[in-house]
Amino acid sequence: SRMKEEFDIVIVGGGPSGLSAAIRAKQLKEDLRVAIVEKGSMIGAHSLSGACFEPTALNELLPEWKSMEGCPITQKVHDDNMYLLSKKSQIKVPWLPPTLHNHNNYIISQGAMCKWLSEHAEGLGVEIYPGFAAADIHYGDDANDKSSVKGVILNDTGIDKKGEKKADYQPGMIFEAKQTIFAEGCRGSCTKKLEAQFGLRKKEHNFQSFALGVKEVWEVPKEMHHPGKIVHTTGWPLTKGEGHDNTYGGSFLYHYGDGLISLGFVVGLDYSNPYTRPYMELQKWKTHPLIAPMLAGGKPISYGARTLCEGGFQAVPD
């Protein structure tokens, strides 16, 4: 049998949206018992984005955030550039629509921002459980009644690679809640089950589309570092000459921190060429005459990849 713990609100996912939901709940009613379950070993462990951050939502959530202790959101955007690449040259886009303007935005580490938000949430009394995945949805004690969500079931421990129970097996706890918020991010396992159970995704009008972002963080010489500089590109290598047919995607390159550049390449996962490898598109892009000099004398110090939801507002579940 599974042990059960009762909460007012359980939030699945310790990313920016899950943490913001927890903070807002405690702002509205401080005596609520709010819990966040996060599958990463610590908050921020699975938050990969080296992001260009638009602060409107944070201004509304925490109006005094700029003066709060330990706030990692300090690097303002000073130089915003967009290029269309061919294989050997580039054209700088002279005008961008307002939605692509990044002045007054910030270059951040999303992992660092999540860690900071989690500290504030804990200060408000939010209970955070890193290292615990929501393995399944809890519909209540009646196995035949799946009309409403009553919480989540955490992952079992003490299971070997064959799926068999070991001596230290422990069934995952049930976190029962009056309200359960799923903030799992892209392709969340519980979210997919909910979409099927409640018919939230009807393929004819609100299907989701996905991309894969491959990212590296580089350490570059001081003379090559321009804090607050942003470069976005589109075009090469996602071009016909490289074997692509209407593949969407592009790159980002952000100067921030102490001699650091966060860079990456995003490729839409509906590409038609089965030999496409998003990782290799990033490596090709780094050889471009515009990009290679920016990395001269530098070295990569970390890397990773993450799937992204690209469907936009029309892909929001019913």
Side-chain angles (χ1 to χ4, degrees):
S1 65
R2 299 181 184 273
M3 294 178 63
K4 187 181 293 186
E5 193 76 17
E6 295 185 355
F7 300 88
D8 293 298
I9 301 173
V10 166
I11 299 167
V12 181
S17 58
L19 289 163
S20 299
I23 290 169
R24 186 61 182 146
K26 295 294 279 187
Q27 287 174 341
L28 292 171
K29 193 173 181 182
E30 62 182 31
D31 62 345
L32 290 175
R33 190 180 183 196
V34 180
I36 295 175
V37 293
E38 164 57 39
K39 66 181 182 296
S41 59
M42 60 182 180
I43 295 293
H46 289 184
S47 296
L48 192 72
S49 179
C52 182
F53 178 68
E54 202 282 317
T56 298
L58 187 60
N59 292 338
E60 295 173 357
L61 181 70
L62 299 171
E64 306 299 320
W65 64 267
K66 291 180 184 178
S67 60
M68 290 173 63
E69 185 179 353
C71 178
I73 306 167
T74 57
Q75 181 59 68
K76 269 199 169 185
V77 174
H78 299 302
D79 186 10
D80 196 5
N81 306 275
M82 178 78 182
Y83 293 91
L84 176 63
L85 303 186
S86 63
K87 188 168 185 176
K88 295 295 184 183
S89 63
Q90 68 276 345
I91 298 172
K92 185 172 183 179
V93 178
W95 178 85
L96 291 173
T99 51
L100 293 179
H101 289 182
N102 287 301
H103 287 287
N104 296 319
N105 292 348
Y106 293 80
I107 299 170
I108 66 165
S109 161
Q110 189 168 293
M113 185 185 74
C114 287
K115 185 175 184 299
W116 171 71
L117 283 174
S118 72
E119 291 167 356
H120 181 67
E122 287 181 318
L124 294 174
V126 176
E127 301 172 41
I128 299 178
Y129 298 92
F132 290 91
D136 209 347
I137 299 149
H138 175 57
Y139 293 102
D141 296 328
D142 184 353
N144 296 316
D145 182 7
K146 293 188 175 183
S147 60
S148 63
V149 174
K150 301 291 196 300
V152 292
I153 303 170
L154 304 187
N155 55 300
D156 298 341
T157 58
I159 297 176
D160 65 21
K161 61 185 179 181
K162 296 180 181 178
E164 296 175 356
K165 298 175 183 177
K166 299 190 294 185
D168 59 348
Y169 169 78
Q170 289 287 338
M173 290 181 66
I174 294 172
F175 275 19
E176 199 165 75
K178 297 171 186 173
Q179 183 173 28
T180 309
I181 298 173
F182 293 88
E184 295 180 291
C186 183
R187 295 286 284 168
S189 56
C190 287
T191 302
K192 288 191 289 183
K193 293 176 182 177
L194 289 168
E195 288 174 351
Q197 174 64 26
F198 295 105
L200 302 179
R201 187 155 316 275
K202 299 179 175 64
K203 291 184 179 180
E204 65 269 17
H205 73 273
N206 73 337
F207 58 88
Q208 184 62 269
S209 60
F210 301 96
L212 182 68
V214 185
K215 174 193 170 180
E216 297 176 350
V217 175
W218 279 61
E219 196 171 57
V220 296
K222 296 293 185 190
E223 62 272 17
M224 304 300 294
H225 192 245
H226 308 284
K229 181 177 181 177
I230 280 182
V231 175
H232 288 111
T233 76
T234 188
W236 188 86
L238 300 183
T239 50
K240 287 206 170 188
E242 299 293 331
H244 291 279
D245 180 19
N246 202 32
T247 303
Y248 74 88
S251 75
F252 60 89
L253 187 150
Y254 305 145
H255 292 245
Y256 75 109
D258 186 15
L260 299 178
I261 292 179
S262 174
L263 60 89
F265 204 89
V266 176
V267 178
L269 290 178
D270 59 352
Y271 54 77
S272 57
N273 184 343
Y275 295 100
T276 296
R277 289 189 289 165
Y279 171 78
M280 290 309 299
E281 303 307 327
L282 169 66
Q283 304 312 317
K284 284 191 280 187
W285 170 78
K286 290 192 300 185
T287 68
H288 192 275
L290 174 69
I291 305 302
M294 299 184 193
L295 304 177
K299 61 179 181 180
I301 58 174
S302 60
Y303 53 87
R306 190 77 170 88
T307 51
L308 308 166
C309 292
E310 297 283 359
F313 184 72
Q314 69 178 19
V316 173
D318 287 345

